[in-house]
Amino acid sequence: MGTIEDYISRYKDLFRYSVTAKARFLARKYGFLDYMVERYINMFRDEAKEFLESCSFPLRKSIRCNTLKVECEELVERLEGKGFVLEKVDWLKFGYVVKAQPPKPSLGSTLEYMLGYYYIQGLASMVPAEILDPKEGDVVLDMASSPGGKTTQMSQLMGNRGLIVAVERKKSRVRPLVSNINRLGALNVVVLNMDSRELVNYDLRFSKVLLDAPCSGEGIIPRDPTRKSKTQPEELYQFSMAQLELMDTAYRLLKEKGELVYSTCSIAPEEDEFVVNYAVEELGMEVIPTERYPASKGIISFNGVDFSREVENCIRFYPHQHKTEGFFVCHLRKR
Amino acid sequence: MPSEKKVVRFKVIGTHEVKVYLDDIALKYNCSFPCRMFGNYTVVEAEGSDFSQIFIASKSTLLPELLEKGLNVEFVGVSIMKVKGGKVYPQLNMGDIMVKYCKNKVLLPEPLVQKLLYGREITVRERYYFTNGLLISTRGEFLGFVNLDRTKNGTRIIPEKEIGWYLRSGG
């Protein structure tokens, strides 16, 4: 097993970008950084323009019904009584798209919201917890948990049994996490305010780990257009470095045969397949194929660099193809 | 010399250790709690410099062990009570439980409820013969703790802590 520095130096070409005139033109037109568009052309080929356009339209609103507090049929009936129109998403256990809403109240201020009957959550971001599928006997680590959407979703899947250790490094992000845990009635969570990487200094092992890694947020540009020009190449590199360190930590904290779901709200291969490829090549982890979602396969070749074929078993969501936020999810197992 | 911030220590406590707090709440809200209240949960106390907090969490054999490891624990399960200066303040998740066992309830039409949930006082014509109550929805759901103040023409209802707090707390 080599070091992260060795691994990065082997793949240094991944972070070298030469921008074409076409990328520069499209970047001006859509308000993105040049190097970002160059990468989209590399990823999407003829569909790059379609992707760029889709980033200008807001995403469909969606909610996760919280069965820890309410039956979904009752929730739908109550919200429809207030003028909302909901449609069940057939590929998610508890996900609903909000097809129409009344002028008042807003989705985030209904009585049912305050009662913790639902959580406003992107459709693709409901996928990682479903894939990890924690059971009541599991001891789960959630490595970057605020604001708690996936944490409380895991509590729901576990029927409030077992144990989730939810870690949040930033003190300011603990408050919304705790608020959501209280509101949604998640009883099996212990919140730690520390850097997940420090956990290796304690005698701890987990049967399942969710690593929804801090990232550039390149997948949520439709929700936050400032991200079109926020992340410079050197910052993207820094995100990758931190993600590799977190992946390394996750591996060390997993029990033998333990399962890990790695996800980001970024479509950048530097933050996604590159990190999973490290888990496969350097840590010897196995990628478990993910099949039952309407999503694209992982990218095995990008910017002149080839990854292990195993990363093809990861999944990607895009706004222009799947009408969700851009998202990456990969299911791994420690051998 | 600046005072050092006291480290909050989390420890599992016996259900009997919260009895004194439950008695206080029962008196205030006219409740009749069962003897084995919280028997299905792990009860945890966090003792800070200004106040203590009581949590309930799912039963887990690993939890007490985890709390002993010296990790920087912020929260365990859900908060049910705060104890400050000898006074007990039931928290919102405690309200969900209390609604089954307490008699001091205030049931109001939704437009008035909405005002209370946004932290505003209201005055109603009804007379209530208690000063601490649980605000409940027409479906019997707990919505908040309210203080009641009798006036010449009715009752002034003052929100103490209600579920609108979740909107204001940045969740």
Side-chain angles (χ1 to χ4, degrees):
Chain A
M1 191 171 109
T3 63
I4 289 173
E5 288 72 23
D6 292 342
Y7 176 72
I8 288 193
S9 71
R10 276 213 318 280
Y11 284 91
K12 57 182 181 300
D13 289 347
L14 187 67
F15 295 93
R16 285 186 185 144
Y17 310 105
S18 60
V19 178
T20 58
K22 185 184 175 188
R24 207 164 285 130
F25 170 76
L26 289 173
R28 296 290 171 280
K29 185 173 176 190
Y30 292 101
F32 282 75
L33 293 177
D34 295 351
Y35 92 103
M36 289 171 79
V37 176
E38 185 60 46
R39 288 155 62 248
Y40 301 149
I41 293 171
N42 194 323
M43 285 162 67
F44 299 121
R45 310 277 170 200
D46 296 342
E47 277 185 28
K49 219 173 138 188
E50 213 181 313
F51 168 76
L52 291 166
E53 265 168 21
S54 74
C55 289
S56 302
F57 295 98
L59 294 164
R60 296 181 295 177
K61 285 188 175 158
S62 51
I63 61 167
R64 171 172 54 83
C65 159
N66 177 27
T67 51
L68 291 176
K69 287 214 161 179
V70 72
E71 295 289 331
C72 293
E73 293 76 16
E74 188 193 331
L75 173 65
V76 171
E77 192 190 309
R78 287 175 67 153
L79 289 180
E80 293 199 335
K82 289 182 172 167
F84 291 91
V85 178
L86 302 178
E87 185 179 83
K88 175 82 179 63
V89 179
D90 57 9
W91 47 273
L92 288 168
K93 283 183 181 158
F94 308 110
Y96 291 81
V97 169
V98 182
K99 300 209 82 169
Q101 59 187 99
K104 259 184 165 183
S106 71
L107 193 57
S109 67
T110 65
L111 194 63
E112 289 74 17
Y113 176 85
M114 292 184 244
L115 284 163
Y117 290 176
Y118 63 90
Y119 186 88
I120 301 169
Q121 190 169 359
L123 295 178
S125 90
M126 294 183 213
V127 173
E130 282 202 5
I131 291 178
L132 191 62
D133 194 23
K135 300 279 193 280
E136 55 182 79
D138 280 315
V139 182
V140 184
L141 172 65
D142 186 355
M143 291 180 73
S145 57
S146 187
K150 296 173 194 75
T151 316
T152 52
Q153 187 184 358
M154 290 196 291
S155 287
Q156 182 177 359
L157 293 167
M158 296 165 85
N160 249 341
R161 296 190 180 85
L163 187 67
I164 300 172
V165 176
V167 186
E168 179 48 52
R169 188 171 65 91
K170 288 187 184 165
K171 182 82 178 171
S172 63
R173 287 172 60 86
V174 169
R175 191 180 162 91
L177 169 64
V178 160
S179 172
N180 281 319
I181 287 171
N182 270 313
R183 182 172 65 86
L184 280 91
L187 289 161
N188 61 343
V189 185
V190 175
V191 176
L192 306 180
N193 176 211
M194 60 193 289
D195 190 323
S196 295
R197 289 171 284 198
E198 290 170 23
L199 287 176
V200 295
N201 301 322
Y202 297 84
D203 179 27
L204 292 166
R205 287 290 178 277
F206 299 89
S207 54
K208 291 189 174 172
V209 173
L210 177 66
L211 172 49
D212 185 48
C215 67
S216 65
E218 257 189 83
I220 49 171
I221 290 169
R223 198 177 294 148
D224 178 8
T226 64
R227 291 176 194 264
K228 285 180 181 179
S229 55
K230 200 171 180 179
T231 310
Q232 298 295 333
E234 50 280 15
E235 288 165 311
L236 187 63
Y237 176 83
Q238 290 305 324
F239 275 120
S240 294
M241 277 290 281
Q243 288 150 353
L244 289 168
E245 284 176 20
L246 287 169
M247 176 62 87
D248 204 61
T249 303
Y251 173 80
R252 291 165 72 181
L253 293 169
L254 259 183
K255 287 180 178 172
E256 296 282 309
K257 307 282 178 201
E259 291 176 33
L260 161 74
V261 166
Y262 177 80
S263 61
T264 68
C265 58
S266 171
I267 56 163
E270 297 90 330
E271 301 184 87
D272 297 334
E273 284 84 353
F274 178 57
V275 180
V276 171
N277 187 66
Y278 172 77
V280 172
E281 284 189 354
E282 301 296 318
L283 306 173
M285 294 186 85
E286 161 197 8
V287 178
I288 304 169
T290 299
E291 277 154 359
R292 68 181 183 91
Y293 296 95
S296 302
K297 290 178 178 177
I299 292 172
I300 52 171
S301 183
F302 177 73
N303 203 17
V305 168
D306 293 327
F307 302 124
S308 159
R309 282 209 79 88
E310 281 207 53
V311 303
E312 204 174 27
N313 290 326
C314 308
I315 56 172
R316 300 182 139 256
F317 291 90
Y318 300 119
H320 67 299
Q321 288 180 358
H322 312 106
K323 309 243 179 303
T324 67
E325 65 275 35
F327 216 83
F328 175 85
V329 193
C330 201
H331 191 188
L332 297 120
R333 185 186 288 127
K334 188 172 184 174
R335 290 185 208 265
Chain B
M1 203 171 88
S3 62
E4 261 186 52
K5 197 184 166 197
K6 190 179 171 188
V7 177
V8 180
R9 189 168 174 265
F10 287 75
K11 60 173 183 185
V12 174
I13 58 170
T15 51
H16 60 280
E17 290 179 72
V18 285
K19 193 174 178 310
V20 60
Y21 305 141
L22 283 176
D23 290 346
D24 193 273
I25 291 171
L27 201 66
K28 213 167 154 186
Y29 294 93
N30 192 12
C31 318
S32 171
F33 294 123
C35 304
R36 279 192 47 77
M37 190 84 169
F38 307 130
N40 295 327
Y41 303 97
T42 301
V43 183
V44 175
E45 182 175 24
E47 215 178 300
S49 49
D50 299 333
F51 61 87
S52 299
Q53 199 160 187
I54 311 289
F55 303 87
I56 51 167
S58 306
K59 279 251 183 237
S60 162
T61 49
L62 285 170
L63 183 55
E65 200 187 309
L66 190 76
L67 298 179
E68 292 297 317
K69 286 190 185 289
L71 295 153
N72 193 18
V73 178
E74 275 286 326
F75 213 79
V76 179
V78 299
S79 169
I80 54 164
M81 296 173 206
K82 271 186 185 171
V83 184
K84 190 176 181 180
K87 282 190 174 173
V88 184
Y89 300 93
Q91 300 299 293
L92 294 172
N93 277 285
M94 184 66 195
D96 287 339
I97 300 168
M98 287 167 65
V99 83
K100 291 177 217 144
Y101 304 110
C102 304
K103 292 189 183 129
N104 291 4
K105 290 178 183 169
V106 178
L107 176 64
L108 296 170
E110 192 157 340
L112 290 178
V113 164
Q114 287 291 351
K115 285 186 180 174
L116 289 166
L117 295 186
Y118 281 89
R120 286 190 293 194
E121 291 180 15
I122 59 164
T123 301
V124 294
R125 267 182 297 194
E126 287 81 2
R127 288 186 170 272
Y128 295 90
Y129 296 93
F130 46 85
T131 52
N132 297 99
L134 307 178
L135 179 68
I136 58 164
S137 73
T138 48
R139 294 171 194 251
E141 296 150 324
F142 167 78
L143 304 175
F145 297 103
V146 288
N147 293 326
L148 297 100
D149 184 17
R150 282 176 69 176
T151 63
K152 221 192 287 177
N153 302 319
T155 310
R156 195 158 64 103
I157 303 176
I158 307 138
E160 194 182 349
K161 184 154 193 177
E162 21 61 43
I163 57 171
W165 177 84
Y166 289 125
L167 302 185
R168 302 189 291 273
S169 70

